[in-house]
């Protein structure tokens, strides 16, 4: 969504972007002999380099000038490349990924709450809060917003548009790395993880509103809650279908998404 | 010029003869197996176990003087791809086919091997595979109709459970296991009060665990593939599930323990095959496997290993590479470790191709599978 707003980039490899940093960490531990905290740092650095800088320079920059569709096809190809690359050069089977926090439970009356889940929620909320603060409360953030809203005018005002777009790619890389480190201890690290994650993220973004960060958050929560309620209280067989029905309903009746802004373009 | 031409022709003929002699010295035993996708853990173990056996046999001169050639192909855990790969293997005129492990794949490709009269040695466990009148299919692990009665007895006699919840994977393996297990439960007057299906490759088990936990059953029977079992165990631990988690080899296997970590502790059940069996030959196999491939094998490693040695023993018994005769010989054949050390444990194949041998009750303690009881062969 960040990428779409600043550079009109639709990234169909976003799921694989979440899958890959976990393998950077595992590879740093296995082949580099690094401890887990150092491997996390190495994973983050590699994610910034490969999924931020190199993705922009080698894939987006040369192709975006030919239009959005070639870029979409390129990111689909990139997704296959990343998936098969991990399968070929690391492992085809799932790998255990260490958790950076306690895996114990808290008993709150009759309910049992996992510390792991609490940490994930806390980190996710903190990340969104920091991102919002950065975008709205700092000079660089406001420059990035200006770039997203009107790149030509931003350039006239002296904002380094290219640099702002690069920052967006780096922030995106940092966020996918964070998601990867949070989710892999539960889902296990596997080369196919991106398929599930990418589809869910895409559905959530469209349901919530593709041009609003808060829309993506609401979409993600809604899809997650509906998916789990359906599986727990109705039918686990049809759980995967319900979010897709929601997607169809949103496209039919509110194409801009629940919190999205309608956009008009000259054709 | 003429002499050079004659020399070239003679050289070519000599090379052809040499190639022909080389071909005659090998026996083709392709491995068609899951090397990627949901079955990658099982398939890789099976393949590596078979490779060790093949290398050992080749180092000692092969089978009846012929070296084993075993080209590998990946089914991608996809029944359609597996069918194409088996057809490709048959086009290479194989003596036998080793694999696959996934029941759904075996069901669609075993007809091809049957039509071509090629014996197929599989690690698949779905009950109906050996009930379809195929004379060319042979298991190297228990079918569900052999293992489920043992689990059912365990739940009734040891756990004294009156109700169970079932969590199963929605593929041929899972459906076959769930149906057979439900019948065994009904026969013992144990109620199934929750019946939860999950998808192959599923990553999020939060809702399934909520459902299972809410059922308050005396025991939970988990019948999913290895990676899903590990994810389920982690989620069950997170949600504080207290009921005993019971399963088969796919819940108690080494890879599951490795992936689930401490969440695997306390899981119990029946294992038809395990590298932790208190049998010196099995432990020696585990050690050499780990030394060579740098990971601990699971039961599928033993399946691949014994498949190759079963073929070797039966072939040496008949004294030729006759596929029809091999299939006939396998029926009712018992191989003892004294006759063929590579078989690891005494094994008998019945008229349908099902295997019978000792099995084990096990539980996971401190991150290791601990054998609690050795169960005798059903035929004894």
């Amino acid at each position: 969504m960040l990428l779409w707003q600043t550079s009109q980039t639709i990234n169909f490899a976003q799921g694989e972007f979440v899958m890959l940093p976990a393998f950077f960490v595992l590879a740093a531990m296995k082949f580099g002999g690094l401890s887990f905290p150092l491997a996390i740092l190495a994973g983050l650095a590699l994610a910034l380099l490969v999924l931020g800088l190199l993705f922009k320079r080698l894939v987006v920059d040369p192709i975006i000038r030919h239009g959005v569709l070639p870029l979409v096809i390129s990111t689909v190809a990139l997704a296959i490349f990343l998936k098969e690359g991990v399968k070929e050069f690391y492992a085809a089977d799932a790998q255990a990924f260490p958790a950076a926090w306690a895996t114990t439970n808290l008993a709150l009356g009759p309910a049992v709450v996992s510390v792991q889940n609490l940490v994930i929620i806390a980190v996710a909320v903190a990340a969104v809060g920091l991102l919002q603060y950065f975008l709205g409360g700092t000079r660089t953030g406001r420059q990035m917003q200006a770039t997203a809203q009107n790149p030509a005018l931003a350039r006239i005002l002296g904002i380094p548009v290219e640099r702002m777009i690069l920052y967006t790619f780096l922030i995106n890389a940092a966020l996918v790395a964070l998601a990867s480190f949070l989710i892999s201890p539960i889902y296990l690290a596997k080369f196919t993880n991106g398929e599930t994650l990418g589809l869910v993220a895409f559905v959530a973004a469209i349901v919530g509103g593709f041009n609003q960060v808060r829309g993506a958050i609401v979409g993600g929560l809604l899809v997650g809650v509906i998916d789990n309620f359906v599986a727990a209280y109705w039918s686990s067989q049809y759980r995967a279908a319900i979010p897709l029905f929601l997607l169809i309903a949103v496209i039919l009746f509110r194409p801009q998404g629940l919190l999205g802004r309608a956009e008009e373009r000259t054709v | 010029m003429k002499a050079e031409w004659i020399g070239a022709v003679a050289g070519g003929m000599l090379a052809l003869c040499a190639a022909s002699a080389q071909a005659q010295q090998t026996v083709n035993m392709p491995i068609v197996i899951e090397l990627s996708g949901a079955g990658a853990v099982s398939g890789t173990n099976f393949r590596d176990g078979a490779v060790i056996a093949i290398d050992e046999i080749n180092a000692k001169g092969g089978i009846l003087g012929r070296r084993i050639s075993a080209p590998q192909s990946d089914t991608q855990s996809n029944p359609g791809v597996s069918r194409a790969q088996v057809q490709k293997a048959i086009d290479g005129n194989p003596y036998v086919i080793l694999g696959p492990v996934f029941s759904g794949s075996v069901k669609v490709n075993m007809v091809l091997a049957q039509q071509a009269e090629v014996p197929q040695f599989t690690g698949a466990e779905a009950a109906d595979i050996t009930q379809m009148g195929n004379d060319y299919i042979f298991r190297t692990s228990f079918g569900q109709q052999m293992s489920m009665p043992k689990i059912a007895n365990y739940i009734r006699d040891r756990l004294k459970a009156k109700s169970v919840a079932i969590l199963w994977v929605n593929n041929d393996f899972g459906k076959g296991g769930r149906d057979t297990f439900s019948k065994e439960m009904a026969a013992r007057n144990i109620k199934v009060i929750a019946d939860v299906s999950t998808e192959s490759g599923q990553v999020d088990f939060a809702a399934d665990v909520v459902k299972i936990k809410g059922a308050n059953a005396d025991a939970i029977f988990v019948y999913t593939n290895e990676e899903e079992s590990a994810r389920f165990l982690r989620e069950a631990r997170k949600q504080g599930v207290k009921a005993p988690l019971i399963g088969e080899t796919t819940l108690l296997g080494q890879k599951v323990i490795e992936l689930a970590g401490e969440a695997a502790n306390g899981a119990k059940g029946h294992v038809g095959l395990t590298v932790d069996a208190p049998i010196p030959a099995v432990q020696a196999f585990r050690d050499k496997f780990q030394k060579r491939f740098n990971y601990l094998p699971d039961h599928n490693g033993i399946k691949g290993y014994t498949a190759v040695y079963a073929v070797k023993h039966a072939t040496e018994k008949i004294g030729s590479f006759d596929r029809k005769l091999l299939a006939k010989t396998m029926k009712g054949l018992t191989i003892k470790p004294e006759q063929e050390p590579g078989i690891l444990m005494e094994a008998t194949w019945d008229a349908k191709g099902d295997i019978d041998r000792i099995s084990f009750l096990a539980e996971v303690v401190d991150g290791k599978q601990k054998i609690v009881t050795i169960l005798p062969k059903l035929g004894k």
Side-chain angles (χ1 to χ4, degrees):
Chain A
M1 184 169 298
L2 285 170
L3 300 185
W4 167 251
Q5 285 183 37
T6 54
S7 63
Q8 307 294 294
T9 300
I10 297 179
N11 183 12
F12 273 86
Q14 195 74 4
E16 278 66 29
F17 274 33
V18 178
M19 173 273 293
L20 197 58
F23 283 96
F24 286 154
V25 172
L26 292 175
M29 290 165 72
K30 186 176 176 182
F31 303 116
L34 299 183
S35 63
F36 181 58
L38 285 177
I40 286 278
L41 291 177
L44 179 62
L46 277 170
L48 290 173
L49 177 69
V50 177
L51 307 178
L53 185 66
L54 293 182
F55 173 55
K56 180 178 184 299
R57 293 276 154 83
L58 301 182
V59 179
V60 178
D61 287 350
I63 296 174
I64 190 73
R65 66 183 70 124
H66 300 292
V68 174
L69 197 57
L71 185 59
V72 165
I73 294 165
S74 302
T75 59
V76 170
L78 180 65
I80 296 169
F81 173 74
L82 294 177
K83 202 167 63 174
E84 295 301 317
V86 169
K87 184 176 106 180
E88 189 64 30
F89 295 109
Y90 198 91
D93 53 346
Q95 306 290 310
F97 189 86
W101 51 82
T103 50
T104 51
N105 294 336
L106 291 177
L108 304 173
V112 178
V113 182
S114 149
V115 172
Q116 197 173 22
N117 282 1
L118 292 177
V119 171
I120 290 173
I121 292 168
V123 173
V125 169
V128 171
L130 274 174
L131 181 65
Q132 291 292 67
Y133 168 74
F134 176 73
L135 292 176
T138 66
R139 186 183 169 84
T140 311
R142 284 193 293 273
Q143 288 182 339
M144 285 171 69
Q145 285 200 58
T147 304
Q149 286 164 15
N150 193 329
L153 195 59
R155 193 170 275 120
I156 291 168
L157 291 172
I159 293 172
V161 169
E162 284 308 312
R163 199 195 305 162
M164 293 303 122
I165 292 174
L166 175 63
Y167 287 169
T168 315
F169 277 79
L170 294 177
I171 289 170
N172 179 60
L175 288 175
V176 292
L178 186 64
S180 185
F181 303 154
L182 289 173
I183 218 166
S184 297
I186 299 170
Y187 284 9
L188 306 173
K190 188 166 182 181
F191 75 98
T192 51
N193 280 1
E195 295 167 6
T196 318
L197 296 170
L199 180 67
V200 172
F202 207 68
V203 170
I206 292 174
V207 166
F210 216 79
N211 50 20
Q212 291 289 329
V213 172
R214 65 173 188 275
I217 295 167
V218 168
L221 278 173
L222 196 64
V223 168
V225 168
I226 288 175
D227 174 53
N228 276 285
F229 269 78
V230 166
Y233 299 109
W234 184 38
S235 161
S236 51
Q237 286 96 328
Y238 290 101
R239 67 183 298 178
I242 303 304
L244 297 177
F245 280 123
L246 180 66
L247 174 71
I248 293 167
V250 166
I251 289 173
L252 282 177
F253 301 111
R254 196 173 163 78
Q256 70 269 36
L258 297 178
L259 298 183
R261 206 176 42 238
E263 285 182 13
E264 291 172 4
R265 293 191 184 187
T266 311
V267 290
Chain B
M1 185 66 189
K2 194 178 175 185
E4 278 175 18
W5 187 81
I6 291 170
V9 170
M13 287 183 72
L14 273 173
L16 275 175
C17 289
S20 169
Q22 180 77 16
Q24 281 172 0
Q25 285 164 7
T26 63
V27 53
N28 184 19
M29 290 169 51
I31 304 173
V32 181
I33 204 76
E34 296 79 4
L35 299 177
S36 62
V41 174
S42 314
T44 307
N45 267 276
F46 186 100
R47 187 269 314 264
D48 292 346
V51 164
I52 291 181
I54 289 164
D55 289 352
E56 284 174 358
I57 292 168
N58 282 344
K60 290 179 185 166
I63 301 174
L64 300 178
R66 288 201 202 175
R67 288 173 59 79
I68 301 169
S69 159
Q72 300 169 14
S73 49
D74 180 11
T75 68
Q76 299 170 22
S77 307
N78 177 324
V81 176
S82 86
R83 191 179 161 88
Q85 297 288 24
V86 163
Q87 183 58 58
K88 193 174 154 195
I90 289 169
D91 292 344
N93 192 28
Y95 177 51
V96 297
I97 291 172
L98 304 172
V101 171
F102 260 28
S103 301
S105 294
V106 174
K107 278 187 193 176
V108 299
N109 66 44
M110 70 180 193
V111 182
L112 296 175
Q114 181 187 14
Q115 286 165 352
E117 297 178 328
V118 176
Q120 185 176 7
F121 288 75
T122 174
E125 296 179 9
D128 51 357
I129 285 175
T130 48
Q131 315 290 319
M132 298 176 181
N134 183 340
D135 286 334
Y136 288 85
I137 193 81
F138 300 96
R139 291 190 208 268
T140 53
S141 63
F142 280 142
Q144 289 155 344
Q145 73 280 23
M146 306 285 238
S147 58
M148 291 304 167
K150 295 186 176 189
I151 297 174
N153 288 341
Y154 176 77
I155 289 173
R156 181 191 61 192
D157 302 335
R158 301 261 180 136
L159 301 179
K160 314 281 183 201
K162 302 285 178 213
S163 62
V164 291
I166 310 177
L167 179 114
W168 51 284
V169 58
N170 191 9
N171 58 22
D172 288 274
F173 161 76
K175 273 188 279 194
R178 177 253 192 191
D179 293 347
T180 316
F181 179 77
S182 299
K183 271 185 211 158
E184 298 296 334
M185 289 291 99
R188 287 163 182 78
N189 285 324
I190 299 172
K191 274 189 179 172
V192 176
I193 57 173
D195 186 12
V196 179
S197 78
T198 63
E199 291 307 312
S200 181
Q202 183 172 320
V203 290
D204 182 4
F205 283 85
D208 308 290
V209 174
V210 167
K211 209 169 180 176
I212 289 273
K213 194 182 169 189
N216 266 329
D218 294 337
I220 299 166
F221 179 61
V222 184
Y223 205 65
T224 53
N225 295 116
E226 282 87 347
E227 290 174 8
E228 291 81 25
S229 293
R231 293 184 184 113
F232 170 80
L233 287 170
R234 284 182 171 228
E235 188 60 41
R237 168 61 59 95
K238 268 172 59 186
Q239 295 194 27
V241 171
K242 297 280 185 250
L245 301 172
I246 311 301
E248 239 280 330
T249 319
T250 51
L251 182 72
L252 304 167
Q254 194 53 47
K255 183 70 182 178
V256 180
I257 296 172
E258 180 195 320
L259 292 175
E262 59 174 353
N265 288 336
K268 9 182 129 166
H270 170 259
V271 287
L273 277 173
T274 170
V275 292
D276 291 318
I279 295 169
V282 174
Q283 290 171 349
F285 164 76
R286 178 192 62 194
D287 294 343
K288 66 185 166 199
F289 189 109
Q290 189 175 17
K291 193 175 170 193
R292 173 151 178 193
F293 294 108
N294 205 24
Y295 72 94
L296 266 178
D298 67 9
H299 60 295
N300 289 294
I302 305 178
K303 291 183 196 175
Y305 189 77
T306 50
V308 178
Y309 273 105
V311 173
K312 172 182 180 280
H313 181 82
T315 306
E316 287 174 347
K317 192 175 177 197
I318 57 183
S320 65
F321 291 95
D322 183 330
R323 295 190 299 222
K324 273 188 178 178
L325 199 51
L326 173 69
K328 205 177 269 181
T329 305
M330 285 301 299
K331 311 279 183 188
L333 179 69
T334 294
I335 308 177
K336 296 182 176 181
E338 304 89 83
Q339 302 166 310
E340 181 56 76
I343 209 72
L344 303 179
M345 290 175 279
E346 181 180 315
T348 300
W349 281 266
D350 68 10
K352 291 177 177 171
D354 274 312
I355 193 172
D356 187 12
R357 64 182 151 205
I358 60 167
S359 61
F360 312 91
L361 292 180
E363 57 184 86
V364 181
V365 180
D366 295 331
K368 283 188 178 163
Q369 193 188 77
K370 188 180 159 196
I371 300 300
V372 182
T373 310
I374 298 180
L375 302 173
K377 283 169 80 174
L378 285 174
K380 280 194 173 174

